[in-house]
Amino acid sequence: MALKIARRGTVPPFIVMDVMRAAAEREATGADTLHLEVGQPSTGLPRKAAERVAELLGSGAPLGYTVALGLPDLREKIAGHYRAAHGAAVDPRRIVATMGSSAGFILAFLSAFDAGDRVGVTRPGYPAYRHILKALGIEPVAIPVGPDTRFQPTAEVLEALDGPPLDGLIVTSPSNPTGTVMPPEELKRVVQWCDAHKVRLISDEIYHGITFGMAAETVAEIAPDAIVVNSFSKYFCMTGWRLGWLVVPEDMVRPIECLAQNLFISPPTLSQHAGIAVFDCAEELEANVRRYARNREVLLDGLPGAGFDRLAPADGAFYLYADVAHRTNDSLTFCKRMLAETGVAATPGVDFDEAEGDRYVRFSFAGSTEDMERAVAALKQWRP
């Protein structure tokens, strides 16, 4: 007898993970496979942080639970990072260490919104926003954005929204999947719009540190009622270590602490110690960003010659978002064929945009420069 499966567990798949699995299966057969699908650094934990981890493991320390908000030294280090990177004074007592940004979003959504609340999410945008919101009984409200606003929301776009008022808004700068950065003046206008309309702003800043000529501003200091989500997964090259953080208003610290105690107990202890050490690895981390910049140029120079000539501005992160409407109206099948016939794995736009994603493909340039060059060469030979 089949028993009930809760509706909250029937959210759509995260398609990039399906692509990643298909690419891994192809790779296991010995077939040449180039990973431009997944948004994670191809480098490991920076050396000094790895040495600290080895020291702790060798010491036999128990590495038990920490307090739910995270190690005090880690929270102090994160506060110091805001001073150094942004000139922002963030009280470490407002910082919450989390089990990756994914757990951070769950804590943020649970603490800020009730079931039935309405939260604006850009389309295209990171699919887990809307899937987590739906699983929690919160209504994601699609906000279409496109080339005219550089795939970012503006105060004018928000003012023109139809329907009941929003309770929350998620902004991402640099963006996934487009890589676009919100100019500082536009970000301030969005913050002001949220303040005027009593909308809780959630700022996803997990790609901060990875920008190319246009710095990404944090809302941690300019919007005291906002929630900032960040992660050690991207700039800090700690994807599998599952460590992130929140910056939250003072009155939300205790509610989030109680939720974290019950849902997660604490972030991984070893990962927190690695996170403390990784802030002393700036030289290695900046070298990675320079490699991303080279990879970006390889794709920007080469993809147009392979028929991918309609690209969103790639200000940051490690993505290019290509309009492929002149080649297909089915990006899912298009990406399956691309993988099978060229060995290049990329993510179909339907992962990020349920309405118009059939005409887009996302390429990640987080891998090696050699892989980017090989991918361009393979795609130039492809005749779908």
Side-chain angles (χ1 to χ4, degrees), residues 4 12 65 82 92 132 196 254-255 264 270-271 276 292 297 338 347:
K4 170 184 173 181
Y65 300 135
Y82 280 101
I132 295 171
R254 181 57 177 164
F264 307 111
L270 188 62
S271 298
I276 293 169
Y292 301 147
E297 290 305 317
M338 189 191 310
T347 305

Side-chain angles (χ1 to χ4, degrees), residues 122 143-145 148-162 166 169-171 182-197 199 201:
T122 58
I143 302 174
V145 292
D148 54 330
T149 64
R150 305 178 76 257
F151 294 93
Q152 291 284 0
T154 64
E156 288 77 14
V157 167
L158 297 171
E159 195 63 39
L161 290 175
D162 294 326
L166 296 178
L169 173 69
I170 303 171
V171 298
M182 294 182 74
E185 62 278 6
E186 192 56 60
L187 181 61
K188 289 185 174 69
R189 294 182 67 224
V190 168
V191 168
Q192 292 165 354
W193 184 91
C194 288
D195 185 55
H197 291 81
V199 171
L201 178 64

Side-chain angles (χ1 to χ4, degrees), residues 22 39 59 75 89 96 116 186 200 216 228 250 257 281 300 324 354:
S59 73
R75 297 164 74 197
V96 179
E186 192 56 60
R200 177 79 71 180
V228 173
E250 290 182 14
E257 182 179 26
C281 301
L300 287 175
V324 292
E354 295 172 304

